Amino acid sequence: MEQRTILHLDMDAFFASVEQRDSPELRGLPVIIAHPTELRGVVSTCSYEARRFGVHSAMPTSQAKRLCPNGVFIAPDHRKYSAVSKQMMAILARYTPLIEKLSVDEAFLDVTGCERLFGDGVTMARRIKEDISRELNLTASVGISYNKFLAKLASDLEKPDGLVPITPSDLETRVHPLPISRLWGVGQKSAEQLTRLGLRTIGDVAQMNVTRMRTYLGSLADHIYLLANGRDERPVQPNREAKSIGQETTFAEDVRDVVFLETTLLGQVEKVARRLRQSGFEARTVTLKLRYAPWQTITRNHTFAHPTDLETPLYTAVKGLLAKCGLSREDAIRLIGVTVGNLVPKGTVEEQTQQLSLFDAPTPTVETDPRQQELSRVVDSLKDKFGDKILTRARLVRREEE
Ligand code: TTP
Ligand code: MG
């Protein structure tokens, strides 16, 4: 693949900067965006002046008041921020249509091949920052690199008002000394686990033994090993209506262990099913994607009798597809993935089935079994409340020491 040029842009102290821009008397002051009267509220964000007191996003407002008693507390005005967000995205759209909006103040741009029009990545980043400063009177930080992970990491390195390129030769000097918490996808829990395994910096991860670490980390080992070595092929995906929902894992080293492949699939199915339920759609088809080591990629489909958004039928189907591929011990797998497609709004088919059942009273299949539906609903609401890690199938629980 040709080397790409990816930009990641993130506005500085976004909500607080908009307030300081619109009320000049607030400039230079510690501004904290939080409902001043909400007893159990949390801080949305704060100006860099307030960060010096230790205040940060998601901190209880009461604690922010203790740390920064002279802070100016302002209730968030989401309508205003989303209008500014639209203006910001419109500026980005002048440079490329390949924009993936990640949040209200953050986006990836794939500007590969735009050099003839706008100059190289760094020049383009500078021009975008100038447009934002001149037209919106706000500052942004931009990272420029050859993949999404490194561009996102770069945009955060010299905030506020940063402009940081990372080239392949910067990897060792600039990226490897950073702590593992900077790896995309490593939350606090995984960071603690990695530290227990003796991995402290991104450089440590770049040199670890992937096969051994899979015992403790599952396919997260592959994910972080590739990132740490500056490998991330995920494309910038312009935000369109989802027509399919998928998850795939690229392995750092070939996999010959079918049980490990199945466990990876189960983890992917759980994520896909949850996103499917959040989207309000059900899938008519599920696709298994396999890439053999010498770059041969195959896909296999299964069509359901009843559209579904549940783990059990999805997993049963992809596991069956994997079995049909008849993998032998010689087959080395590089990538595995699950995608659901032919999405239909939930409920549109259910009614027909229910009417039919008045006459045939078929036994419920896993796709329509109300107990399965209820179980998934309960799991989702627990995950919404307590985070994704709260519940997982027994098989996904990582073995600790062996
Ligand atoms: P961020 O980009 O994470 O933060 P920021 O722009 O305020 O500061 P930074 O310079 O470090 O990028 O989030 C963008 C906006 O999203 C932020 O201004 C407020 C909102 N937000 C919340 O409301 N709650 C949160 O927990 C976080 C992280 C952000
Ligand atoms: Mg920001």
Side-chain angles (χ1 to χ4, degrees):
M1 188 158 64
E2 69 169 324
Q3 179 155 314
R4 297 176 294 163
T5 307
I6 312 278
L7 270 51
H8 178 262
L9 178 140
D10 188 310
M11 302 296 287
D12 301 319
F14 185 49
F15 295 2
S17 305
V18 171
E19 297 301 342
Q20 287 180 318
R21 175 192 75 174
D22 295 348
S23 309
E25 70 278 9
L26 296 177
R27 293 183 196 162
L29 297 182
V31 170
I32 298 167
I33 306 297
H35 280 285
T37 51
E38 232 172 58
L39 275 178
R40 278 185 233 291
V42 293
V43 172
S44 290
T45 190
C46 61
S47 68
Y48 278 77
E49 292 85 353
R51 292 185 196 196
R52 281 187 218 123
F53 294 86
V55 180
H56 58 74
S57 291
M59 170 183 280
T61 309
S62 53
Q63 191 183 352
K65 280 192 174 149
R66 275 200 302 279
L67 288 172
C68 187
N70 294 326
V72 185
F73 288 77
I74 298 176
D77 178 351
H78 293 283
R79 203 176 288 174
K80 177 151 90 175
Y81 313 137
S82 101
V84 180
S85 174
K86 279 211 183 90
Q87 294 172 324
M88 185 268 280
M89 298 292 169
I91 291 176
L92 304 186
R94 294 174 197 159
Y95 292 85
T96 173
L98 286 179
I99 300 174
E100 179 177 340
K101 182 177 166 182
L102 279 191
S103 77
V104 68
D105 81 328
E106 179 185 9
F108 283 111
L109 292 81
D110 185 336
V111 297
T112 314
C114 302
E115 292 86 353
R116 285 241 301 269
L117 273 175
F118 301 111
D120 66 7
V122 174
T123 310
M124 223 176 301
R126 192 171 295 126
R127 289 178 64 166
I128 292 173
K129 275 164 63 78
E130 281 164 9
D131 288 356
I132 289 178
S133 161
R134 189 177 54 247
E135 297 172 38
L136 304 181
N137 205 3
L138 291 168
T139 64
S141 296
V142 185
I144 305 109
S145 197
Y146 52 97
N147 64 41
K148 284 168 91 171
F149 163 60
L150 292 172
K152 187 164 162 67
L153 181 94
S155 73
D156 206 40
L157 284 181
E158 291 178 17
K159 259 183 171 294
D161 205 16
L163 188 154
V164 178
I166 293 182
T167 64
S169 59
D170 295 329
L171 197 62
E172 259 181 56
T173 49
R174 193 94 210 242
V175 179
H176 284 177
L178 296 171
I180 43 168
S181 54
R182 295 268 192 168
L183 284 167
W184 199 358
V186 173
Q188 204 186 325
K189 276 271 157 58
S190 317
E192 283 165 17
Q193 196 184 8
L194 291 169
T195 311
R196 279 201 301 278
L197 291 165
L199 303 166
R200 260 164 263 280
T201 66
I202 297 184
D204 294 339
V205 173
Q207 284 173 8
M208 72 187 189
N209 179 329
V210 182
T211 318
R212 199 169 79 78
M213 287 301 161
R214 274 183 194 151
T215 322
Y216 308 107
L217 305 169
S219 57
L220 179 69
D222 292 82
H223 176 67
I224 59 177
Y225 178 80
L226 291 171
L227 292 185
N229 282 291
R231 287 163 58 191
D232 176 12
E233 287 174 9
R234 286 172 293 186
V236 172
Q237 281 177 316
N239 316 74
R240 293 189 221 98
E241 268 306 306
K243 292 204 176 65
S244 64
I245 295 176
Q247 275 280 324
E248 57 183 51
T249 304
T250 305
F251 299 115
E253 286 173 11
D254 301 338
V255 174
R256 292 187 165 77
D257 175 356
V258 174
V259 176
F260 181 71
L261 291 176
E262 287 177 352
T263 309
T264 306
L265 275 179
L266 180 56
Q268 293 173 337
V269 163
E270 287 196 332
K271 289 201 181 115
V272 166
R274 178 138 194 264
R275 277 172 55 202
L276 196 52
R277 290 192 290 269
Q278 287 168 340
S279 76
F281 284 85
E282 290 179 311
R284 275 186 190 281
T285 59
V286 61
T287 303
L288 169 75
K289 178 171 164 187
L290 272 186
R291 180 171 301 147
Y292 294 86
W295 291 99
Q296 184 202 356
T297 307
I298 61 159
T299 58
R300 294 286 179 268
N301 301 301
H302 173 86
T303 302
F304 294 105
H306 306 283
T308 184
D309 59 4
L310 301 174
E311 283 89 352
T312 310
L314 287 171
Y315 180 60
T316 310
V318 282
K319 201 173 147 195
L321 291 171
L322 182 66
K324 273 199 205 142
C325 294
L327 293 184
S328 71
R329 291 208 58 77
E330 281 80 63
D331 289 317
I333 299 302
R334 256 298 141 123
L335 174 153
I336 192 162
V338 177
T339 304
V340 291
N342 279 324
L343 305 184
V344 290
K346 191 172 167 69
T348 47
V349 184
E350 247 165 20
E351 280 163 29
Q352 296 165 10
T353 343
Q354 274 162 8
Q355 279 176 1
L356 272 179
S357 68
L358 278 178
F359 303 100
D360 332 319
T363 42
T365 63
V366 274
E367 293 143 40
T368 54
D369 186 346
R371 285 168 307 173
Q372 286 280 338
Q373 309 240 9
E374 179 59 15
L375 178 63
S376 291
R377 205 187 54 69
V378 171
V379 169
D380 284 351
S381 68
L382 284 171
K383 285 185 172 174
D384 285 340
K385 275 211 192 89
F386 302 108
D388 273 346
K389 297 271 157 60
I390 182 85
L391 279 175
T392 189
R393 311 227 152 195
R395 196 163 169 192
L396 281 187
V397 176
R398 289 171 193 139
R399 281 166 283 176
E400 281 292 310
E401 302 295 313
E402 277 194 323

